[in-house]
Amino acid sequence: MWNNFKNGFIKENPVFGLYLGLCSSLAISTSVNNAIGMGACVTIVLILSNCIVSLIRKITPSEIRIPVYIVVIASLVTVVEMVVHAFMSELYTSLGVFLSLIVVNCIILGRAEAFASKNGVVASAVDGLGMGLGYTFALLLISVVRELVSTAGITIVNPFNSTQVLFSFTIGALEPFKISLFSSSVGAFLTFACFAAFFAWLKNKPNKKEAK
């Protein structure tokens, strides 16, 4: 169970290891605020969908299991979207259509089919948490680099009150070297490519036992 949790960060990281959920990862990672918000939403949906799929796995006919999983995921995403819209309107506007598109995020359906449909509730919840945090971790890495390089600073605001700044800093030395390109799709692909290459190296790096 612990290995499933750990694998979501490095070996089976949804973004850098399995290359899933790339559309939302690249589109909304312009700021750390967006990354935290999207990561939290995906993690919640992952945990709940995994638990529900695990609970109904024995009574769901195999012929219609995928449509059933999609209905479960779509229902959870709708609830999460309504909550975000009601209490975090600024975040809702920032994430835009990508919040609704969590329904078709391959990570969620993939874990439901590959893990939750074959394992118990607790193991499925842990798997969902690990994959969700792994996805959030990937978003944070990309967004920190993009926001820092494009604005020479990072700002995090309270999602429930956008006027309240929770954390903010600027690196004055980077001001003359800001690269606005990193706030665009090109910068997103460049940042992702560098991290994907690094994670591929970590994944393929032989451990000490193999080296011996």
Side-chain angles (χ1 to χ4, degrees), residues 130-197:
M131 283 292 166
L133 292 179
Y135 175 78
T136 306
F137 173 63
L139 282 187
L140 284 173
L141 287 179
I142 297 174
S143 62
V144 164
V145 171
R146 292 183 66 191
E147 186 171 1
L148 199 57
V149 175
S150 62
T151 67
I154 291 176
T155 301
I156 301 175
V157 301
N158 185 345
F160 298 99
N161 181 6
S162 58
T163 61
Q164 182 183 4
V165 177
L166 299 178
F167 174 80
S168 179
F169 82 96
T170 303
I171 302 178
L174 287 180
E175 281 285 348
F177 306 102
K178 289 190 299 186
I179 306 174
S180 58
L181 177 74
F182 275 79
S183 63
S184 68
S185 55
V186 176
F189 276 106
L190 288 173
T191 308
F192 164 75
C194 292
F195 278 119

Side-chain angles (χ1 to χ4, degrees), residues 57-207:
R57 71 186 191 281
K58 294 182 179 179
I59 61 172
T60 304
S62 59
E63 296 84 1
I64 60 168
R65 68 185 187 284
I66 299 300
V68 170
Y69 298 165
I70 292 174
V71 169
V72 169
I73 295 167
S75 301
L76 291 171
V77 170
T78 301
V79 172
V80 169
E81 187 178 8
M82 291 170 66
V83 171
V84 173
H85 194 183
F87 298 102
M88 295 169 271
S89 57
E90 193 76 23
L91 178 63
Y92 178 83
T93 303
S94 298
L95 297 181
V97 69
F98 291 100
L99 189 57
S100 302
L101 290 178
I102 294 176
V103 174
V104 292
N105 192 315
C106 298
I107 302 169
I108 300 171
L109 183 59
R111 297 320 294 175
E113 171 67 10
F115 193 91
S117 62
K118 302 177 180 67
N119 294 274
V121 177
V122 176
S124 298
V126 172
D127 178 76
L129 178 62
M131 283 292 166
L133 292 179
Y135 175 78
T136 306
F137 173 63
L139 282 187
L140 284 173
L141 287 179
I142 297 174
S143 62
V144 164
V145 171
R146 292 183 66 191
E147 186 171 1
L148 199 57
V149 175
S150 62
T151 67
I154 291 176
T155 301
I156 301 175
V157 301
N158 185 345
F160 298 99
N161 181 6
S162 58
T163 61
Q164 182 183 4
V165 177
L166 299 178
F167 174 80
S168 179
F169 82 96
T170 303
I171 302 178
L174 287 180
E175 281 285 348
F177 306 102
K178 289 190 299 186
I179 306 174
S180 58
L181 177 74
F182 275 79
S183 63
S184 68
S185 55
V186 176
F189 276 106
L190 288 173
T191 308
F192 164 75
C194 292
F195 278 119
F198 176 70
F199 273 75
W201 174 77
L202 282 181
K203 191 176 179 180
N204 297 320
K205 182 182 177 184
N207 56 38

